[in-house]
Amino acid sequence: GKFDAESTVRVLRTAGYVEEAAELAERYDLRDLYLRILLDDMQDCRRALEYISSLPFLDAELAVKTNGKYLMQMQPDSTTDLLTQMCTKPHATNVGSSEHETSYIHSKAEDFISIFVDHPLQLKRFLWLCVHAEDVTIVENAGAGPGPSSPAGTPERESGTSASGDPYGPAKASSPSRRRAPPTRSVMRIKSRSKLVWNTLIELCLR
């Protein structure tokens, strides 16, 4: 019969074979179950944070929203660092795009304020970094003709060039049968403009 990884993990976990259950859950990409083992059975928050950081962005965001208060209690600085990365850096995702396009998104600081209960210093640092984050210029490469299109956007560095050094993103071999339209630029607003974020930060600074 077909191997039922989830049931096997649950049996191992119930029988007390926690490390074996964790290894199997990770191997078969049972993300929620793997995190539950790490956090509930092993209390290994550092390992859980490393795993969350390796997940696709939207899955990582959901995992932090679900487990953030406990992670903050156990690993306040590391959890704050992870949240800061999620809210102040562009993250690639294919959700809502065609198969060959990439969109860039980031988390909103106001969605995580409740996680920082009893951690005002970490909250103050987190909000400060979010309101001072630099907006990012996205280069959108418009393709022409049939076939796969180039990525929808490439975050630029402050100098106005992409990581490759080319202001129009990674170069691709040109085809004589078709020509690409010039890329367009748009600014991705990363700096938090939320009234809740600003009011909370002001209140923390006045304490």
Side-chain angles (χ1 to χ4, degrees):
K2 184 180 178 181
F3 177 63
D4 187 343
E6 184 170 349
S7 294
T8 304
V9 169
R10 294 187 188 281
V11 169
L12 287 170
R13 187 183 181 193
T14 302
Y17 295 97
V18 176
E19 193 64 55
E20 291 81 358
E23 182 180 342
L24 195 64
E26 183 179 21
R27 186 190 309 169
Y28 283 90
D29 201 26
L30 302 172
R31 297 173 183 177
D32 292 339
L33 193 51
Y34 181 53
L35 278 173
R36 292 273 57 80
I37 294 170
L38 291 180
L39 295 173
D40 299 343
D41 301 339
M42 304 172 76
Q43 288 83 47
D44 194 342
C45 291
R46 188 172 300 278
R47 189 167 157 190
L49 284 168
E50 290 175 357
Y51 178 67
I52 291 171
S53 299
S54 72
L55 293 174
F57 178 72
L58 292 176
D59 293 329
E61 186 180 57
L62 179 60
V64 173
K65 287 179 178 178
T66 304
N67 304 286
K69 287 186 178 179
Y70 179 69
L71 290 168
M72 182 64 64
Q73 179 185 348
M74 304 302 293
Q75 292 283 338
D77 291 330
S78 297
T79 303
T80 301
D81 290 342
L82 175 60
L83 288 171
T84 302
Q85 286 289 320
M86 294 174 67
C87 292
T88 63
K89 305 291 182 186
H91 300 271
T93 177
N94 294 103
V95 175
S97 303
S98 73
E99 181 181 354
H100 302 290
E101 292 183 334
T102 302
S103 297
Y104 289 89
I105 58 176
H106 66 94
S107 297
K108 295 181 179 180
E110 57 267 30
D111 291 343
F112 298 105
I113 290 177
S114 62
I115 287 174
F116 289 83
V117 175
D118 300 325
H119 290 87
L121 292 179
Q122 282 82 5
L123 177 58
K124 182 178 177 180
R125 179 165 67 91
F126 168 67
L127 296 179
W128 180 268
L129 292 170
C130 288
V131 300
H132 289 87
E134 299 221 352
D135 292 342
V136 174
T137 299
I138 302 295
V139 178
E140 298 184 12
N141 299 308
S149 62
S150 58
T154 304
E156 287 194 331
R157 295 179 173 178
E158 290 181 27
S159 62
T161 62
S162 67
S164 66
D166 178 351
Y168 297 107
K172 291 192 174 183
S174 59
S175 169
S177 61
R178 62 182 184 180
R179 305 179 70 178
R180 291 193 179 277
T184 58
R185 287 176 168 78
S186 60
V187 176
M188 181 177 182
R189 299 177 67 175
I190 291 183
K191 181 185 300 183
S192 179
R193 292 162 173 84
S194 162
K195 288 184 178 180
L196 175 60
V197 168
W198 277 98
N199 289 341
T200 305
L201 179 57
I202 291 170
E203 182 181 331
L204 288 167
C205 289
L206 292 176
R207 285 184 181 179

